Structures are given as structure tokens and as C-alpha cells.
mmCIF file of all heavy atoms in Angstrom:
data_model
loop_
_atom_site.group_PDB
_atom_site.id
_atom_site.type_symbol
_atom_site.label_atom_id
_atom_site.label_comp_id
_atom_site.label_asym_id
_atom_site.label_seq_id
_atom_site.Cartn_x
_atom_site.Cartn_y
_atom_site.Cartn_z
ATOM 1 N N LEU A 1 93.671 96.550 83.389
ATOM 2 C CA LEU A 1 95.008 97.027 83.071
ATOM 3 C C LEU A 1 95.367 98.266 83.923
ATOM 4 O O LEU A 1 96.425 98.886 83.723
ATOM 5 C CB LEU A 1 95.091 97.410 81.579
ATOM 6 C CG LEU A 1 94.658 96.265 80.615
ATOM 7 C CD1 LEU A 1 94.608 96.804 79.229
ATOM 8 C CD2 LEU A 1 95.638 95.122 80.729
ATOM 9 N N GLY A 2 94.542 98.584 84.877
ATOM 10 C CA GLY A 2 94.710 99.743 85.712
ATOM 11 C C GLY A 2 93.312 100.339 86.029
ATOM 12 O O GLY A 2 92.287 99.746 85.635
ATOM 13 N N ARG A 3 93.297 101.503 86.612
ATOM 14 C CA ARG A 3 92.037 102.149 86.917
ATOM 15 C C ARG A 3 92.120 103.604 86.493
ATOM 16 O O ARG A 3 93.138 104.259 86.621
ATOM 17 C CB ARG A 3 91.716 102.057 88.413
ATOM 18 C CG ARG A 3 91.264 100.673 88.813
ATOM 19 C CD ARG A 3 90.878 100.603 90.272
ATOM 20 N NE ARG A 3 89.795 101.516 90.596
ATOM 21 C CZ ARG A 3 88.505 101.225 90.457
ATOM 22 N NH1 ARG A 3 88.131 100.104 89.857
ATOM 23 N NH2 ARG A 3 87.576 102.098 90.810
ATOM 24 N N SER A 4 90.961 104.086 85.964
ATOM 25 C CA SER A 4 90.933 105.474 85.515
ATOM 26 C C SER A 4 90.925 106.452 86.666
ATOM 27 O O SER A 4 91.209 107.617 86.484
ATOM 28 C CB SER A 4 89.721 105.703 84.598
ATOM 29 O OG SER A 4 88.533 105.484 85.284
ATOM 30 N N ASP A 5 90.591 105.975 87.868
ATOM 31 C CA ASP A 5 90.548 106.877 89.027
ATOM 32 C C ASP A 5 91.779 106.669 89.916
ATOM 33 O O ASP A 5 92.351 107.620 90.445
ATOM 34 C CB ASP A 5 89.249 106.753 89.799
ATOM 35 C CG ASP A 5 89.002 105.316 90.256
ATOM 36 O OD1 ASP A 5 89.683 104.380 89.844
ATOM 37 O OD2 ASP A 5 87.996 105.131 90.996
ATOM 38 N N ASP A 6 92.228 105.429 90.143
ATOM 39 C CA ASP A 6 93.259 105.143 91.072
ATOM 40 C C ASP A 6 94.675 105.174 90.437
ATOM 41 O O ASP A 6 95.652 104.992 91.094
ATOM 42 C CB ASP A 6 93.059 103.793 91.746
ATOM 43 C CG ASP A 6 91.839 103.760 92.667
ATOM 44 O OD1 ASP A 6 91.384 104.839 92.968
ATOM 45 O OD2 ASP A 6 91.369 102.682 92.992
ATOM 46 N N MET A 7 94.740 105.351 89.141
ATOM 47 C CA MET A 7 96.001 105.455 88.478
ATOM 48 C C MET A 7 96.827 106.555 89.101
ATOM 49 O O MET A 7 96.346 107.662 89.411
ATOM 50 C CB MET A 7 95.777 105.776 86.984
ATOM 51 C CG MET A 7 97.026 106.076 86.199
ATOM 52 S SD MET A 7 96.603 106.531 84.486
ATOM 53 C CE MET A 7 95.813 108.136 84.780
ATOM 54 N N LEU A 8 98.087 106.322 89.388
ATOM 55 C CA LEU A 8 98.960 107.296 89.946
ATOM 56 C C LEU A 8 99.525 108.204 88.856
ATOM 57 O O LEU A 8 99.928 107.706 87.787
ATOM 58 C CB LEU A 8 100.152 106.618 90.653
ATOM 59 C CG LEU A 8 99.845 105.763 91.888
ATOM 60 C CD1 LEU A 8 101.044 104.975 92.296
ATOM 61 C CD2 LEU A 8 99.384 106.693 93.046
ATOM 62 N N ILE A 9 99.497 109.469 89.090
ATOM 63 C CA ILE A 9 100.192 110.421 88.209
ATOM 64 C C ILE A 9 101.347 110.993 88.978
ATOM 65 O O ILE A 9 101.177 111.729 89.980
ATOM 66 C CB ILE A 9 99.230 111.534 87.728
ATOM 67 C CG1 ILE A 9 98.021 110.934 86.980
ATOM 68 C CG2 ILE A 9 99.970 112.516 86.814
ATOM 69 C CD1 ILE A 9 97.022 111.964 86.524
ATOM 70 N N VAL A 10 102.542 110.602 88.603
ATOM 71 C CA VAL A 10 103.779 110.987 89.278
ATOM 72 C C VAL A 10 104.644 111.750 88.346
ATOM 73 O O VAL A 10 105.031 111.238 87.301
ATOM 74 C CB VAL A 10 104.502 109.774 89.879
ATOM 75 C CG1 VAL A 10 105.733 110.226 90.652
ATOM 76 C CG2 VAL A 10 103.584 108.966 90.803
ATOM 77 N N LYS A 11 104.911 113.029 88.654
ATOM 78 C CA LYS A 11 105.754 113.875 87.790
ATOM 79 C C LYS A 11 105.147 113.951 86.378
ATOM 80 O O LYS A 11 105.882 113.966 85.400
ATOM 81 C CB LYS A 11 107.201 113.351 87.723
ATOM 82 C CG LYS A 11 107.867 113.323 89.102
ATOM 83 C CD LYS A 11 109.286 112.784 88.981
ATOM 84 C CE LYS A 11 109.974 112.701 90.366
ATOM 85 N NZ LYS A 11 111.352 112.144 90.300
ATOM 86 N N GLY A 12 103.842 113.954 86.314
ATOM 87 C CA GLY A 12 103.153 114.073 85.072
ATOM 88 C C GLY A 12 103.046 112.742 84.281
ATOM 89 O O GLY A 12 102.539 112.753 83.161
ATOM 90 N N VAL A 13 103.497 111.659 84.844
ATOM 91 C CA VAL A 13 103.541 110.383 84.129
ATOM 92 C C VAL A 13 102.483 109.458 84.792
ATOM 93 O O VAL A 13 102.354 109.366 86.016
ATOM 94 C CB VAL A 13 104.953 109.716 84.236
ATOM 95 C CG1 VAL A 13 104.906 108.335 83.625
ATOM 96 C CG2 VAL A 13 105.941 110.588 83.501
ATOM 97 N N ASN A 14 101.711 108.753 83.905
ATOM 98 C CA ASN A 14 100.746 107.784 84.420
ATOM 99 C C ASN A 14 101.472 106.516 84.872
ATOM 100 O O ASN A 14 102.192 105.881 84.066
ATOM 101 C CB ASN A 14 99.711 107.397 83.318
ATOM 102 C CG ASN A 14 98.917 108.576 82.889
ATOM 103 O OD1 ASN A 14 98.795 109.559 83.611
ATOM 104 N ND2 ASN A 14 98.299 108.483 81.720
ATOM 105 N N VAL A 15 101.261 106.133 86.112
ATOM 106 C CA VAL A 15 101.947 104.986 86.679
ATOM 107 C C VAL A 15 100.940 104.005 87.276
ATOM 108 O O VAL A 15 100.114 104.401 88.085
ATOM 109 C CB VAL A 15 102.931 105.398 87.823
ATOM 110 C CG1 VAL A 15 103.584 104.172 88.448
ATOM 111 C CG2 VAL A 15 104.017 106.318 87.278
ATOM 112 N N PHE A 16 100.980 102.750 86.839
ATOM 113 C CA PHE A 16 100.140 101.699 87.361
ATOM 114 C C PHE A 16 100.959 100.788 88.218
ATOM 115 O O PHE A 16 102.080 100.340 87.801
ATOM 116 C CB PHE A 16 99.409 100.911 86.249
ATOM 117 C CG PHE A 16 98.411 101.723 85.493
ATOM 118 C CD1 PHE A 16 98.679 102.180 84.202
ATOM 119 C CD2 PHE A 16 97.163 102.017 86.084
ATOM 120 C CE1 PHE A 16 97.732 102.906 83.496
ATOM 121 C CE2 PHE A 16 96.221 102.749 85.364
ATOM 122 C CZ PHE A 16 96.501 103.192 84.081
ATOM 123 N N PRO A 17 100.491 100.407 89.430
ATOM 124 C CA PRO A 17 101.251 99.462 90.256
ATOM 125 C C PRO A 17 101.581 98.164 89.505
ATOM 126 O O PRO A 17 102.610 97.564 89.767
ATOM 127 C CB PRO A 17 100.269 99.240 91.418
ATOM 128 C CG PRO A 17 99.490 100.479 91.543
ATOM 129 C CD PRO A 17 99.270 100.902 90.118
ATOM 130 N N SER A 18 100.733 97.743 88.576
ATOM 131 C CA SER A 18 100.976 96.489 87.853
ATOM 132 C C SER A 18 102.282 96.582 87.039
ATOM 133 O O SER A 18 102.968 95.565 86.839
ATOM 134 C CB SER A 18 99.816 96.140 86.940
ATOM 135 O OG SER A 18 99.553 97.174 86.033
ATOM 136 N N GLN A 19 102.607 97.780 86.544
ATOM 137 C CA GLN A 19 103.845 97.961 85.795
ATOM 138 C C GLN A 19 105.077 97.691 86.690
ATOM 139 O O GLN A 19 106.043 97.049 86.303
ATOM 140 C CB GLN A 19 103.906 99.357 85.198
ATOM 141 C CG GLN A 19 102.900 99.684 84.164
ATOM 142 C CD GLN A 19 102.958 101.143 83.733
ATOM 143 O OE1 GLN A 19 102.755 102.035 84.567
ATOM 144 N NE2 GLN A 19 103.212 101.384 82.496
ATOM 145 N N ILE A 20 104.950 98.271 87.925
ATOM 146 C CA ILE A 20 106.068 98.055 88.879
ATOM 147 C C ILE A 20 106.194 96.581 89.261
ATOM 148 O O ILE A 20 107.291 96.041 89.349
ATOM 149 C CB ILE A 20 105.836 98.976 90.103
ATOM 150 C CG1 ILE A 20 105.979 100.453 89.672
ATOM 151 C CG2 ILE A 20 106.798 98.666 91.230
ATOM 152 C CD1 ILE A 20 105.605 101.446 90.761
ATOM 153 N N GLU A 21 105.051 95.952 89.501
ATOM 154 C CA GLU A 21 105.082 94.553 89.888
ATOM 155 C C GLU A 21 105.684 93.698 88.778
ATOM 156 O O GLU A 21 106.444 92.737 89.063
ATOM 157 C CB GLU A 21 103.682 94.061 90.173
ATOM 158 C CG GLU A 21 103.601 92.601 90.652
ATOM 159 C CD GLU A 21 102.193 92.179 91.059
ATOM 160 O OE1 GLU A 21 101.688 92.765 92.064
ATOM 161 O OE2 GLU A 21 101.650 91.285 90.402
ATOM 162 N N THR A 22 105.406 93.991 87.532
ATOM 163 C CA THR A 22 106.005 93.246 86.407
ATOM 164 C C THR A 22 107.506 93.303 86.458
ATOM 165 O O THR A 22 108.199 92.281 86.320
ATOM 166 C CB THR A 22 105.468 93.779 85.097
ATOM 167 O OG1 THR A 22 104.069 93.507 85.007
ATOM 168 C CG2 THR A 22 106.188 93.127 83.895
ATOM 169 N N VAL A 23 108.030 94.491 86.681
ATOM 170 C CA VAL A 23 109.501 94.649 86.721
ATOM 171 C C VAL A 23 110.082 93.858 87.861
ATOM 172 O O VAL A 23 111.064 93.123 87.717
ATOM 173 C CB VAL A 23 109.869 96.156 86.896
ATOM 174 C CG1 VAL A 23 111.357 96.298 87.243
ATOM 175 C CG2 VAL A 23 109.503 96.930 85.621
ATOM 176 N N LEU A 24 109.476 93.930 89.079
ATOM 177 C CA LEU A 24 109.989 93.256 90.252
ATOM 178 C C LEU A 24 110.028 91.735 90.040
ATOM 179 O O LEU A 24 111.026 91.084 90.300
ATOM 180 C CB LEU A 24 109.196 93.603 91.484
ATOM 181 C CG LEU A 24 109.160 95.083 91.867
ATOM 182 C CD1 LEU A 24 108.311 95.275 93.138
ATOM 183 C CD2 LEU A 24 110.558 95.624 92.094
ATOM 184 N N LEU A 25 108.908 91.191 89.552
ATOM 185 C CA LEU A 25 108.845 89.731 89.361
ATOM 186 C C LEU A 25 109.783 89.206 88.248
ATOM 187 O O LEU A 25 110.355 88.185 88.339
ATOM 188 C CB LEU A 25 107.399 89.279 89.123
ATOM 189 C CG LEU A 25 106.458 89.450 90.341
ATOM 190 C CD1 LEU A 25 105.023 89.175 89.922
ATOM 191 C CD2 LEU A 25 106.868 88.521 91.471
ATOM 192 N N ASN A 26 109.919 90.058 87.246
ATOM 193 C CA ASN A 26 110.826 89.691 86.170
ATOM 194 C C ASN A 26 112.283 89.684 86.624
ATOM 195 O O ASN A 26 113.159 88.992 86.057
ATOM 196 C CB ASN A 26 110.690 90.620 84.963
ATOM 197 C CG ASN A 26 109.475 90.340 84.085
ATOM 198 O OD1 ASN A 26 108.959 89.204 84.152
ATOM 199 N ND2 ASN A 26 109.040 91.282 83.318
ATOM 200 N N GLN A 27 112.577 90.460 87.685
ATOM 201 C CA GLN A 27 113.905 90.496 88.219
ATOM 202 C C GLN A 27 114.095 89.511 89.321
ATOM 203 O O GLN A 27 115.160 89.467 89.980
ATOM 204 C CB GLN A 27 114.175 91.906 88.772
ATOM 205 C CG GLN A 27 114.205 93.034 87.719
ATOM 206 C CD GLN A 27 115.385 92.942 86.799
ATOM 207 O OE1 GLN A 27 116.492 92.531 87.195
ATOM 208 N NE2 GLN A 27 115.212 93.305 85.549
ATOM 209 N N GLY A 28 113.086 88.638 89.594
ATOM 210 C CA GLY A 28 113.245 87.589 90.599
ATOM 211 C C GLY A 28 112.884 87.881 91.979
ATOM 212 O O GLY A 28 113.067 87.094 92.900
ATOM 213 N N TYR A 29 112.185 89.069 92.173
ATOM 214 C CA TYR A 29 111.787 89.472 93.516
ATOM 215 C C TYR A 29 110.402 88.961 93.828
ATOM 216 O O TYR A 29 109.580 88.758 92.909
ATOM 217 C CB TYR A 29 111.872 90.984 93.660
ATOM 218 C CG TYR A 29 113.276 91.516 93.653
ATOM 219 C CD1 TYR A 29 113.931 91.821 92.470
ATOM 220 C CD2 TYR A 29 113.966 91.639 94.861
ATOM 221 C CE1 TYR A 29 115.247 92.273 92.447
ATOM 222 C CE2 TYR A 29 115.330 92.114 94.831
ATOM 223 C CZ TYR A 29 115.910 92.426 93.619
ATOM 224 O OH TYR A 29 117.238 92.824 93.632
ATOM 225 N N PRO A 30 110.087 88.725 95.083
ATOM 226 C CA PRO A 30 108.736 88.264 95.438
ATOM 227 C C PRO A 30 107.719 89.403 95.337
ATOM 228 O O PRO A 30 108.062 90.542 95.232
ATOM 229 C CB PRO A 30 108.863 87.800 96.922
ATOM 230 C CG PRO A 30 109.978 88.658 97.435
ATOM 231 C CD PRO A 30 110.914 88.878 96.303
ATOM 232 N N ALA A 31 106.449 89.032 95.331
ATOM 233 C CA ALA A 31 105.366 90.010 95.196
ATOM 234 C C ALA A 31 105.055 90.642 96.595
ATOM 235 O O ALA A 31 103.882 90.781 96.963
ATOM 236 C CB ALA A 31 104.135 89.411 94.609
ATOM 237 N N ASN A 32 106.082 91.009 97.300
ATOM 238 C CA ASN A 32 105.938 91.677 98.579
ATOM 239 C C ASN A 32 106.621 93.047 98.470
ATOM 240 O O ASN A 32 107.860 93.125 98.594
ATOM 241 C CB ASN A 32 106.573 90.827 99.707
ATOM 242 C CG ASN A 32 105.923 89.477 99.817
ATOM 243 O OD1 ASN A 32 104.716 89.355 99.789
ATOM 244 N ND2 ASN A 32 106.738 88.441 99.986
ATOM 245 N N TYR A 33 105.837 94.077 98.232
ATOM 246 C CA TYR A 33 106.398 95.377 98.015
ATOM 247 C C TYR A 33 105.363 96.435 98.392
ATOM 248 O O TYR A 33 104.163 96.151 98.529
ATOM 249 C CB TYR A 33 106.766 95.598 96.532
ATOM 250 C CG TYR A 33 105.632 95.487 95.585
ATOM 251 C CD1 TYR A 33 104.945 96.652 95.153
ATOM 252 C CD2 TYR A 33 105.159 94.302 95.070
ATOM 253 C CE1 TYR A 33 103.851 96.614 94.308
ATOM 254 C CE2 TYR A 33 104.067 94.220 94.217
ATOM 255 C CZ TYR A 33 103.447 95.385 93.823
ATOM 256 O OH TYR A 33 102.364 95.311 92.974
ATOM 257 N N GLN A 34 105.821 97.684 98.565
ATOM 258 C CA GLN A 34 104.929 98.815 98.757
ATOM 259 C C GLN A 34 105.486 100.012 97.937
ATOM 260 O O GLN A 34 106.705 100.147 97.794
ATOM 261 C CB GLN A 34 104.809 99.191 100.230
ATOM 262 C CG GLN A 34 103.833 98.316 100.972
ATOM 263 C CD GLN A 34 103.437 98.843 102.343
ATOM 264 O OE1 GLN A 34 104.273 99.480 103.029
ATOM 265 N NE2 GLN A 34 102.231 98.656 102.750
ATOM 266 N N ILE A 35 104.551 100.817 97.473
ATOM 267 C CA ILE A 35 104.881 101.975 96.689
ATOM 268 C C ILE A 35 104.549 103.195 97.554
ATOM 269 O O ILE A 35 103.407 103.381 97.940
ATOM 270 C CB ILE A 35 104.111 102.023 95.359
ATOM 271 C CG1 ILE A 35 104.378 100.771 94.551
ATOM 272 C CG2 ILE A 35 104.447 103.262 94.551
ATOM 273 C CD1 ILE A 35 103.396 100.551 93.379
ATOM 274 N N LEU A 36 105.539 104.016 97.849
ATOM 275 C CA LEU A 36 105.376 105.207 98.660
ATOM 276 C C LEU A 36 105.460 106.449 97.798
ATOM 277 O O LEU A 36 106.522 106.678 97.162
ATOM 278 C CB LEU A 36 106.385 105.273 99.784
ATOM 279 C CG LEU A 36 106.544 103.990 100.628
ATOM 280 C CD1 LEU A 36 107.671 104.154 101.673
ATOM 281 C CD2 LEU A 36 105.240 103.659 101.316
ATOM 282 N N VAL A 37 104.410 107.217 97.709
ATOM 283 C CA VAL A 37 104.387 108.460 96.921
ATOM 284 C C VAL A 37 104.297 109.627 97.842
ATOM 285 O O VAL A 37 103.496 109.654 98.779
ATOM 286 C CB VAL A 37 103.217 108.437 95.904
ATOM 287 C CG1 VAL A 37 103.269 109.654 95.015
ATOM 288 C CG2 VAL A 37 103.194 107.160 95.089
ATOM 289 N N GLY A 38 105.123 110.621 97.604
ATOM 290 C CA GLY A 38 105.084 111.815 98.455
ATOM 291 C C GLY A 38 105.415 113.052 97.640
ATOM 292 O O GLY A 38 105.435 113.044 96.415
ATOM 293 N N ARG A 39 105.708 114.150 98.352
ATOM 294 C CA ARG A 39 106.033 115.388 97.697
ATOM 295 C C ARG A 39 107.085 116.123 98.519
ATOM 296 O O ARG A 39 106.951 116.244 99.715
ATOM 297 C CB ARG A 39 104.808 116.275 97.525
ATOM 298 C CG ARG A 39 105.064 117.553 96.765
ATOM 299 C CD ARG A 39 103.781 118.233 96.322
ATOM 300 N NE ARG A 39 103.144 117.526 95.230
ATOM 301 C CZ ARG A 39 101.917 117.081 95.220
ATOM 302 N NH1 ARG A 39 101.178 117.251 96.301
ATOM 303 N NH2 ARG A 39 101.440 116.441 94.181
ATOM 304 N N LYS A 40 108.172 116.548 97.842
ATOM 305 C CA LYS A 40 109.247 117.274 98.482
ATOM 306 C C LYS A 40 109.673 118.435 97.602
ATOM 307 O O LYS A 40 109.933 118.239 96.406
ATOM 308 C CB LYS A 40 110.438 116.298 98.715
ATOM 309 C CG LYS A 40 111.581 116.919 99.494
ATOM 310 C CD LYS A 40 112.699 115.872 99.739
ATOM 311 C CE LYS A 40 113.824 116.493 100.559
ATOM 312 N NZ LYS A 40 114.887 115.502 100.777
ATOM 313 N N ASN A 41 109.721 119.612 98.226
ATOM 314 C CA ASN A 41 110.115 120.813 97.481
ATOM 315 C C ASN A 41 109.241 121.028 96.229
ATOM 316 O O ASN A 41 109.750 121.265 95.141
ATOM 317 C CB ASN A 41 111.567 120.788 97.136
ATOM 318 C CG ASN A 41 112.476 120.754 98.329
ATOM 319 O OD1 ASN A 41 112.140 121.358 99.368
ATOM 320 N ND2 ASN A 41 113.609 120.097 98.204
ATOM 321 N N ASN A 42 107.934 120.846 96.392
ATOM 322 C CA ASN A 42 106.960 121.010 95.323
ATOM 323 C C ASN A 42 107.132 120.000 94.150
ATOM 324 O O ASN A 42 106.607 120.221 93.072
ATOM 325 C CB ASN A 42 107.038 122.429 94.745
ATOM 326 C CG ASN A 42 106.600 123.455 95.778
ATOM 327 O OD1 ASN A 42 105.636 123.269 96.511
ATOM 328 N ND2 ASN A 42 107.402 124.509 95.907
ATOM 329 N N SER A 43 107.798 118.891 94.437
ATOM 330 C CA SER A 43 107.994 117.896 93.434
ATOM 331 C C SER A 43 107.585 116.547 93.922
ATOM 332 O O SER A 43 107.818 116.193 95.082
ATOM 333 C CB SER A 43 109.492 117.859 92.985
ATOM 334 O OG SER A 43 109.689 116.871 91.988
ATOM 335 N N ASP A 44 106.964 115.734 93.038
ATOM 336 C CA ASP A 44 106.561 114.372 93.438
ATOM 337 C C ASP A 44 107.756 113.480 93.655
ATOM 338 O O ASP A 44 108.779 113.586 92.968
ATOM 339 C CB ASP A 44 105.697 113.732 92.319
ATOM 340 C CG ASP A 44 104.336 114.368 92.214
ATOM 341 O OD1 ASP A 44 103.885 115.003 93.161
ATOM 342 O OD2 ASP A 44 103.710 114.233 91.129
ATOM 343 N N THR A 45 107.617 112.623 94.594
ATOM 344 C CA THR A 45 108.649 111.598 94.888
ATOM 345 C C THR A 45 107.930 110.217 94.892
ATOM 346 O O THR A 45 106.789 110.088 95.226
ATOM 347 C CB THR A 45 109.346 111.762 96.204
ATOM 348 O OG1 THR A 45 108.397 111.628 97.269
ATOM 349 C CG2 THR A 45 110.039 113.134 96.289
ATOM 350 N N ILE A 46 108.701 109.178 94.441
ATOM 351 C CA ILE A 46 108.159 107.817 94.451
ATOM 352 C C ILE A 46 109.251 106.864 94.884
ATOM 353 O O ILE A 46 110.375 106.954 94.367
ATOM 354 C CB ILE A 46 107.530 107.444 93.077
ATOM 355 C CG1 ILE A 46 106.984 105.990 93.159
ATOM 356 C CG2 ILE A 46 108.499 107.626 91.966
ATOM 357 C CD1 ILE A 46 106.118 105.632 91.928
ATOM 358 N N GLU A 47 108.913 106.017 95.822
ATOM 359 C CA GLU A 47 109.873 105.029 96.337
ATOM 360 C C GLU A 47 109.159 103.641 96.357
ATOM 361 O O GLU A 47 108.001 103.549 96.726
ATOM 362 C CB GLU A 47 110.349 105.398 97.736
ATOM 363 C CG GLU A 47 111.271 104.331 98.368
ATOM 364 C CD GLU A 47 111.687 104.710 99.765
ATOM 365 O OE1 GLU A 47 112.089 105.864 99.963
ATOM 366 O OE2 GLU A 47 111.605 103.845 100.688
#
């Protein structure tokens, strides 16, 4: 259901790639995606 070490913590929230994939596939998109995490002005960003 995720990993205790590779789990993303973005803006203090636990984020698993599988959650994002579920949303995309439920919306009819293919499983071709990338998650870009960065930091701007001392704040996490996720695209």
C-alpha cells in the first residue's frame, strides 16, 4: 500500500504514488505519468 521509506511527504501530508495513479485511471487517463516534487520559496511543490 506504499512504503515506509519512499512515501512522499509533501507540505506535511503523506502522499503515495498509488493514490495519484488511482485518480488518473479513474478519470480515464493512461498509466503514463510522472510526479515532480520540488521546493520554491521554502515551500514544497508537487506537479
Side-chain angles (χ1 to χ4, degrees):
L1 306 173
R3 286 183 60 82
S4 62
D5 54 354
D6 292 344
M7 175 183 68
L8 294 169
I9 302 178
V10 182
K11 300 179 181 178
V13 175
N14 296 341
V15 176
F16 292 105
S18 59
Q19 295 174 300
I20 293 173
E21 182 175 296
T22 293
V23 170
L24 299 180
L25 291 173
N26 281 340
Q27 296 290 326
Y29 291 87
N32 299 317
Y33 64 93
Q34 279 193 325
I35 303 166
L36 309 178
V37 185
R39 183 165 288 124
K40 185 176 182 180
N41 298 327
N42 296 315
S43 179
D44 290 339
T45 63
I46 180 169
E47 174 181 314

